[in-house]
Amino acid sequence: MTRYLLGRLLGLVTVLLITSFLVFSAVHLAPGDPVSFLLKGHPVSPETKAAIRAQYHLDDPFFTQYLKWVGDVLHGDFGRSVQFRHDVGSLIGSRLPSTALLVGYSAVLVCLCGVLAGILAALRPGAIDRVVLLCTGVATATPPFVSAIVLVSLFSVQLGWFPGPGDGGTGFADRLYHLTLPAFALAVTLAGLLARVTRSSMLDQLGREHVEVARSRGVAEGDVVRRHVLRNALGPIVTVGGTMLAGLLVSTSIVETAFNVSGVGSLLVQSVTVKDFPVVQAITLITVAAFVLVNLVVDLLAPLIDPRLTLTRRGAS
């Protein structure tokens, strides 16, 4: 287990290093110049322009800039925002609570709706199964920005049940209320996918021999489903579900922009527009790190839920 954990941590560090280089390269290869945004067309002396370029190390060789950036990041310094003229770490930290609440809220919706719909479809073949398949088919084909438009039009404009754009006041309940529609918009596609994975995994277990043996011995149907079907089906559900939930971080930029939520995702969109490269680099790297960490946690939890995965790894090694 220790060897496996060290191997995964080494892989995590390798992925982060490769990703950091790709992110840094992509931002610098993109067209446009952050100095042009700072000056906004105002004429300045060559000395002033040179001072700005020196502040952001724009005249240094590419690999020198990259090594300086990585070194600063390792010390917790993500640089200074070109657009807001603030420390990038503080800027992201001020936006992080809204994004964390939105992602957590949406993750709960994905798990509840996806798993319950999948279980219902697997245990109720016929009309209910077909209805769930139809609804999940529509959900998986609906991108988050389309869900956002439909939800705002129906529940905010037409019915008036939820407020319009914005992330609410300072109270937790008020913010949760304001983030309800964004959370549903973020959860629709992934809940549909998780429902289909749950249904498939449940049906696979329902057809196994040990389930038929349990039923032939007179075990109550509820116990059969809980002990012999759902428990064995949880492994694939947790593995796939964990990867999907990590993807929520990527989708927040679309939903936060659509609902005018002042989170990290909307900050990323604003920063890409004006080529605020210190903010873009920091948010992208943090998102990749969170994605890899979530996958690592899922991989560590999977053998605890399904011991057969541990036996498989030992057999493979």
Side-chain angles (χ1 to χ4, degrees):
M1 184 64 183
T2 304
R3 185 178 178 184
Y4 171 75
L5 184 60
L6 289 175
R8 290 305 308 269
L9 289 175
L10 182 62
L12 185 149
V13 173
T14 305
V15 169
L16 288 179
L17 280 175
I18 295 173
T19 305
S20 68
F21 182 76
L22 292 176
V23 168
F24 193 85
S25 303
V27 173
H28 276 258
L29 289 174
D33 185 0
V35 177
S36 302
F37 169 77
L38 283 171
L39 299 178
K40 300 182 186 302
H42 298 298
V44 295
S45 64
E47 290 77 12
T48 302
K49 188 176 289 188
I52 295 174
R53 296 189 68 83
Q55 180 183 356
Y56 291 97
H57 309 293
L58 297 176
D59 292 326
D60 291 342
F62 174 78
F63 282 103
T64 303
Q65 291 185 48
Y66 171 70
L67 292 176
K68 280 183 179 177
W69 178 66
V70 171
D72 290 341
V73 168
L74 290 176
H75 288 87
D77 181 9
F78 288 97
R80 188 175 175 82
S81 167
V82 174
Q83 180 183 9
F84 297 98
R85 315 286 180 91
H86 289 304
D87 177 70
V88 173
S90 302
L91 195 60
I92 294 175
S94 66
R95 302 289 192 102
L96 200 56
S98 293
T99 299
L101 185 57
L102 175 60
V103 171
Y105 193 174
S106 184
V108 171
L109 293 175
V110 170
C111 293
L112 283 178
C113 299
V115 173
L116 289 178
I119 293 175
L120 183 66
L123 298 180
R124 293 288 183 273
I128 293 180
D129 185 26
R130 288 195 292 273
V131 169
V132 172
L133 281 177
L134 176 63
C135 293
T136 54
V138 173
T140 54
T142 306
F145 71 91
V146 175
S147 301
I149 295 171
V150 173
L151 289 171
V152 168
S153 175
L154 182 60
F155 294 104
S156 181
V157 178
Q158 299 294 331
L159 299 175
W161 292 354
F162 292 96
D167 48 0
T170 55
F172 177 77
D174 186 50
R175 297 188 74 176
L176 205 63
Y177 176 54
H178 277 76
L179 289 176
T180 296
L181 290 185
F184 270 97
L186 198 58
V188 166
T189 304
L190 296 182
L193 289 171
L194 189 59
R196 288 185 167 246
V197 171
T198 303
R199 175 184 177 273
S200 176
S201 185
M202 289 282 291
L203 288 177
D204 178 59
Q205 293 298 324
L206 283 168
R208 295 294 177 94
E209 186 178 350
H210 68 277
V211 175
E212 295 179 3
V213 171
R215 283 172 171 164
S216 66
R217 289 179 177 176
V219 179
E221 186 64 19
D223 290 337
V224 171
V225 172
R226 190 173 60 256
R227 295 179 182 175
H228 300 282
V229 178
L230 185 57
R231 185 176 178 182
N232 291 331
L234 277 179
I237 296 172
V238 170
T239 302
V240 177
T243 306
M244 290 180 181
L245 294 182
L248 284 173
L249 295 169
V250 180
S251 302
T252 52
S253 57
I254 300 170
V255 174
E256 286 183 359
T257 303
F259 286 94
N260 197 26
V261 175
S262 57
V264 176
S266 59
L267 175 63
L268 176 62
V269 174
Q270 296 173 25
S271 302
V272 169
T273 305
V274 299
K275 199 174 170 56
D276 193 350
F277 61 89
V279 177
V280 175
Q281 290 165 343
I283 294 177
T284 307
L285 191 62
I286 290 171
T287 303
V288 173
F291 189 89
V292 176
L293 281 174
V294 169
N295 281 323
L296 175 62
V297 171
V298 169
D299 283 350
L300 295 177
L301 287 178
L304 301 178
I305 297 171
D306 187 355
R308 293 173 302 173
L309 295 176
T310 306
L311 295 176
T312 302
R313 277 184 191 141
R314 286 176 180 170
S317 62

